[in-house]
Amino acid sequence: MPGLEIENEPVATTTVTQGAAMEITVTRQDLLKELTAIQSVVERKTTIPILSNFLVEVTDGAEGGKLNITATDLDQAIRTSANAKVKKAGSCTIPARKLYDYVKLLPDGEISIKLLDNHWVQIRSGRSNTRMVGLGRANYPQVPELPSVSSVKIPVAILKTLIARTIFSISNEESRYTLNGALLILKAESIAMVATDGHRLSFVEKSEQPLDGISGEKRILIPRKALAELQSLLNSTEAEHVEFADDDLWLFFRIGHRTLSSRKLTGQFPNYEAVMPRDNTRFVVVRAAELSAAIGRVAQFADERSGAVRIKMEQNELKITAQSNESGESEDSIETPYTSDPLVVGFNSSYMLDFLKALGNEGEVRLEFKDSQSAGQMRPEDPEAEYKYRYVLMPMRI
């Protein structure tokens, strides 16, 4: 099978057998762990058959054998690796979904993978012997390389928190292109992320967080799908830092031995600072768990399409109400200090619950308002909080 090449490996320490029948042995545990990490990138329905396959590259170097696996949908890619016993180095492509589903059903133990003629791949484990129809490795698209310079190390715990508190505010409307991602803002002493869909806005910042390699300010627009993949990789790693880099077209995130690359979103993110409320002087403070439970109950009787609930503040009380012709009406109240003029504002109940869920329904939250027509704001009531978190909601007419 001439013309097979291995990318991303140093020539001095790597030997690839050209034209040979690739053959390796890997443990099921190691293989399944890596396939699980990258399988969601593969497009289930694609007009380009090769994109339904994993690219499998086997190297045999001075430091031992490596099984490198790549998945891509052309907009993003994940590369990962596992230790392997290499009999013959080489590369091939294997149907991604079929391989993943099959390996999940195999018992623990060693799995041998061997490339046969005409791109067929043989997989053996114990008494199981399977052959899968692959495609030529030469047709697999080129995956961009992580730049070797100008990278920034971001703590995994911080990036996980930023994503969890903003990703739900990203727009799903394809026509609103620049809102289909979250804006990551890197400064020498802080890191922040903001997302909006035009109806709500999430802003979270970790100040007093030194970042080497950053001078001034760097703004990066990360697509929603890449952010979801990054969140999944962060949740399954023991690494303490993410290595971030970018070039003119691509974003790169290296987490341990896995690298996510994604095409950049182009365009100008909205001026989010202009919509941050500055004179919301009416406020109440309530326990997050209590508010979440009350909204959850009342929302069962909200209009199914809008999900709108009324928030009414009056003397030392916060009332949440909803009604619809189809299901009826409901009211819940929470005792809380409030002495300003009464105020009634309508909000999407799901939007409010998203914010409370991002906080783990823990602690106290402050609800701030100006009037019934202006944007409201929710934020944790903790002046010593590690993160500055603001959630802006546009009101609804109900």
Side-chain angles (χ1 to χ4, degrees):
M1 188 173 174
L4 296 181
E5 295 181 357
I6 298 300
E7 306 160 12
N8 206 31
E9 294 289 341
V11 174
T13 60
T14 302
T15 303
V16 178
T17 307
Q18 304 289 339
M22 181 198 88
E23 188 173 354
I24 61 158
T25 301
V26 61
T27 68
R28 174 190 176 272
Q29 183 180 11
D30 288 348
L31 180 59
L32 183 59
K33 187 177 178 181
E34 303 313 319
L35 296 183
T36 302
I38 71 172
Q39 55 85 26
S40 57
V41 172
V42 180
E43 290 284 356
R44 304 247 180 135
K45 298 177 181 178
T46 177
T47 56
I48 308 174
I50 196 72
L51 297 183
S52 296
N53 285 24
F54 288 132
L55 172 62
V56 176
E57 300 171 297
V58 176
T59 61
D60 190 11
E63 297 180 358
K66 275 290 183 196
L67 169 64
N68 300 302
I69 311 171
T70 303
T72 184
D73 63 2
L74 298 182
D75 288 324
Q76 61 181 353
I78 299 181
R79 273 185 164 149
T80 189
S81 63
N83 292 324
K85 299 174 185 175
V86 179
K87 190 171 182 180
K88 294 179 181 177
S91 60
C92 65
T93 77
I94 306 176
R97 192 71 210 177
K98 190 65 69 178
L99 179 64
Y100 174 62
D101 288 343
Y102 180 67
V103 172
K104 280 198 299 184
L105 298 173
L106 290 174
D108 283 339
E110 291 195 330
I111 297 173
S112 73
I113 302 174
K114 182 178 182 180
L115 178 63
L116 306 176
D117 293 338
N118 298 320
H119 314 304
W120 281 65
V121 179
Q122 182 183 56
I123 299 173
R124 285 182 164 182
S125 175
R127 300 174 68 89
S128 298
N129 184 7
T130 298
R131 296 199 308 162
M132 296 186 187
V133 182
L135 293 171
R137 183 262 178 270
N139 297 322
Y140 204 84
Q142 181 79 14
V143 174
E145 302 286 344
L146 176 78
S148 57
V149 294
S150 302
S151 64
V152 180
K153 286 188 175 181
I154 304 172
V156 165
I158 293 176
L159 193 53
K160 281 172 67 174
T161 300
L162 264 57
I163 295 173
R165 295 189 176 186
T166 56
I167 191 169
F168 51 85
S169 291
I170 298 174
S171 176
N172 287 314
E173 296 179 30
E174 295 297 329
S175 59
R176 311 192 74 174
Y177 187 69
T178 56
L179 302 186
N180 292 156
L183 184 68
L184 179 64
I185 305 159
L186 303 177
K187 299 180 182 179
E189 295 295 331
S190 70
I191 177 171
M193 186 172 281
V194 59
T196 180
D197 60 8
H199 305 291
R200 54 177 167 173
L201 180 146
S202 295
F203 172 86
V204 59
E205 180 182 37
K206 177 73 167 67
S207 56
E208 299 180 10
Q209 178 58 51
L211 293 176
D212 294 335
I214 295 291
S215 58
E217 180 179 281
K218 185 176 180 67
R219 295 190 169 203
I220 307 104
L221 197 50
I222 307 174
R224 180 192 183 102
K225 188 175 180 183
L227 211 61
E229 292 295 344
L230 180 57
Q231 185 177 42
S232 179
L233 291 174
L234 293 174
N235 287 336
S236 62
T237 185
E238 296 179 0
E240 294 184 356
H241 289 85
V242 177
E243 190 175 343
F244 167 74
D246 65 338
D247 58 23
D248 292 340
L249 298 175
W250 293 86
L251 306 172
F252 302 89
F253 301 89
R254 181 154 66 190
I255 307 110
H257 61 282
R258 298 167 182 160
T259 301
L260 168 67
S261 53
S262 169
R263 288 188 188 274
K264 282 184 172 180
L265 269 182
T266 55
Q268 190 70 32
F269 193 79
N271 181 8
Y272 66 91
E273 293 167 322
V275 302
M276 292 285 199
R278 287 175 171 79
D279 50 3
N280 285 18
T281 55
R282 303 182 190 182
F283 69 90
V284 292
V285 177
V286 295
R287 289 178 56 242
E290 195 172 358
L291 180 61
S292 178
I295 294 173
R297 288 189 292 265
V298 171
Q300 300 299 312
F301 299 88
D303 178 80
E304 287 190 10
R305 190 167 57 87
S306 69
V309 296
R310 281 187 180 88
I311 304 295
K312 184 177 183 179
M313 298 190 303
E314 48 192 11
Q315 192 70 25
N316 293 327
E317 190 175 47
L318 172 68
K319 282 186 178 178
I320 304 156
T321 63
Q323 63 179 37
S324 65
N325 294 330
E326 294 78 20
S327 53
E329 59 185 36
S330 180
E331 176 183 290
D332 247 271
S333 63
I334 301 172
E335 288 187 18
T336 179
Y338 181 75
T339 55
S340 299
D341 294 335
L343 177 67
V344 180
V345 191
F347 290 113
N348 183 309
S349 57
S350 294
Y351 291 177
M352 298 184 76
L353 291 172
D354 283 342
F355 168 79
L356 295 168
K357 183 180 178 182
L359 289 177
N361 290 322
E362 296 177 352
E364 291 184 324
V365 294
R366 176 186 286 241
L367 282 64
E368 301 173 337
F369 308 94
K370 178 183 178 183
D371 53 46
S372 59
Q373 285 82 42
S374 302
Q377 179 171 270
M378 301 175 69
R379 60 186 175 91
E381 178 65 5
D382 182 1
E384 297 181 1
E386 187 178 3
Y387 295 87
K388 179 182 178 183
Y389 189 19
R390 301 174 68 181
Y391 188 58
V392 182
L393 281 167
M394 296 305 295
M396 301 178 72
R397 291 183 181 179
I398 54 176

